[in-house]
């Protein structure tokens, strides 16, 4: 910022991001820290190349004023990208109530005895802003795997998820088969126990009848009952 006697200017360099065939603008701020209104006027060594708005005005006490400088589109770039254009800002204390319409060129004439403060500014060409670099697609090395995205925007299921789902279904089906087998064996065992109890009751009944009649049980019947008992025992042992 220039420490002028009347107006402070920021910045002291007019920086233009130079691009061919493109109109470019930059701005500067004028600050009046005094107790008096200050009139200003902006001049340039190349008036056809630049447009200054406003090029004249009044900055009230303890106030700011923004000035925009626009460079017309250029067809050629300087070989060394160095600009030799200059700007001159003139400022002078004026009476209260004066407006921009009341400013005249004679106010900035030093030969008339006016106390004119002058600040010089230079023009600098800077490279235009670069576009952001594209983001590399895909996951970075060492990053965790992600689900792939198809061309139509849908997310594909990963193979791990399919394997887990298949294992869960198989485990569930296997568990159901085991439960059914256990239930069937339990029913068969219960039925065999009932048949064994029934045969024992019948055998006891035959014994009682034999004792009452004082007769013996036929040998063949005893053999048949024994075979049935052995068979039931074998079935019970397997279950």
């Amino acid at each position: 910022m220039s420490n002028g006697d009347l107006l402070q200017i920021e910045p002291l360099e007019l920086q233009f991001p130079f691009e061919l065939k493109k109109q470019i603008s930059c701005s500067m701020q004028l600050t009046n820290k005094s107790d008096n209104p200050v009139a200003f006027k902006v001049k340039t060594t190349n008036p056809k190349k630049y447009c200054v708005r406003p090029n004249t005005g009044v900055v009230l006490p303890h106030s700011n004023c923004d000035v925009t400088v626009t460079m017309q589109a250029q067809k050629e770039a300087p070989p060394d990208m160095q600009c030799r254009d200059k700007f001159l800002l003139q400022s002078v204390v004026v009476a209260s109530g004066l407006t921009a319409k009341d400013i005249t060129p004679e106010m900035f004439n030093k030969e008339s005895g006016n106390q004119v403060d002058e600040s010089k500014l230079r023009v600098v060409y800077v490279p235009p802003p670069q576009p952001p670099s594209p983001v590399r697609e895909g996951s970075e090395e060492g990053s965790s795997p992600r689900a792939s995205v198809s061309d139509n925007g849908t997310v594909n299921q990963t193979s791990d998820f399919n394997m887990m789902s298949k294992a869960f279904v198989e485990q569930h089906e296997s568990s159901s088969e085991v439960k059914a087998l256990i239930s069937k064996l339990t029913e068969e065992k219960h039925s065999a126990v009932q048949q064994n109890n029934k045969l024992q009751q019948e055998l006891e009944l035959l014994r009682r009848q034999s004792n009452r009649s004082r007769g013996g049980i036929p040998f063949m019947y005893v053999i048949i009952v024994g075979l049935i008992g052995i068979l039931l025992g074998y079935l019970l042992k397997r279950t």
Side-chain angles (χ1 to χ4, degrees):
M1 181 180 290
S2 173
N3 294 320
D5 295 335
L6 299 178
L7 293 178
Q8 293 182 338
I9 308 169
E10 184 182 5
L12 291 177
E13 290 182 347
L14 299 178
Q15 298 184 354
F16 293 92
F18 187 85
E19 294 185 54
L20 290 175
K21 300 180 181 180
K22 184 176 181 180
Q23 196 176 68
I24 308 169
S25 299
C26 69
S27 62
M28 58 180 172
Q29 187 179 75
L30 309 179
T31 303
N32 180 9
K33 293 188 176 182
S34 68
D35 297 329
N36 302 308
V38 176
F40 70 89
K41 183 178 182 179
V42 181
K43 296 181 179 181
T44 178
T45 57
N46 196 345
K48 293 183 179 181
K49 184 178 178 180
Y50 302 95
C51 177
V52 182
R53 292 290 183 271
N55 62 339
T56 58
V58 177
V59 185
L60 298 178
H62 307 286
S63 300
N64 300 326
C65 178
D66 292 327
V67 177
T68 302
V69 181
T70 302
M71 183 178 66
Q72 304 302 319
Q74 301 298 302
K75 298 180 180 180
E76 296 180 356
D80 54 359
M81 288 300 291
Q82 299 293 324
C83 184
R84 295 173 178 81
D85 300 332
K86 298 291 188 297
F87 280 81
L88 178 68
L89 187 139
Q90 296 177 308
S91 55
V92 61
V93 176
V94 295
S96 299
L98 190 75
T99 63
K101 296 180 180 180
D102 302 324
I103 297 175
T104 61
E106 288 76 13
M107 294 180 179
F108 304 95
N109 189 355
K110 292 182 179 181
E111 297 178 356
S112 301
N114 297 325
Q115 298 293 326
V116 181
D117 188 21
E118 294 183 343
S119 299
K120 296 180 180 180
L121 299 90
R122 68 190 188 100
V123 178
V124 178
Y125 293 153
V126 296
Q130 298 296 325
S133 59
V135 179
R136 185 175 62 182
E137 296 182 357
S139 58
E140 298 290 340
E141 183 178 356
S143 60
S144 58
R146 299 178 181 177
S148 59
V149 182
S150 60
D151 296 336
N152 59 1
T154 59
V155 179
N156 298 326
Q157 298 291 339
T158 62
S159 58
D160 290 343
F161 179 79
N162 290 334
M163 293 176 62
M164 292 176 62
S165 300
K166 184 178 180 180
F168 177 80
V169 172
E170 291 178 352
Q171 182 179 4
H172 182 70
E173 293 177 351
S174 176
S175 177
S176 300
E177 292 176 356
V178 171
K179 290 182 178 180
L181 181 59
I182 294 175
S183 178
K184 182 177 180 180
L185 292 175
T186 302
E187 292 178 357
E188 291 180 354
K189 182 178 180 180
H190 182 69
S191 177
V193 171
Q194 289 181 345
Q195 291 292 336
N196 188 34
N197 293 335
K198 184 177 180 181
L199 289 174
Q200 289 181 357
Q201 291 177 0
E202 291 179 354
L203 181 60
E204 184 66 23
L205 180 61
L206 289 174
R207 288 178 179 176
R208 291 178 181 178
Q209 291 179 356
S210 175
N211 293 332
R212 291 178 182 176
S213 61
R214 297 181 181 180
I217 300 175
F219 181 73
M220 184 60 66
Y221 186 84
V222 174
I223 293 176
I224 293 173
V225 172
L227 290 174
I228 293 175
I230 293 173
L231 179 61
L232 290 177
Y234 179 75
L235 290 176
L236 291 174
K237 186 177 180 181
R238 284 189 57 187
T239 58

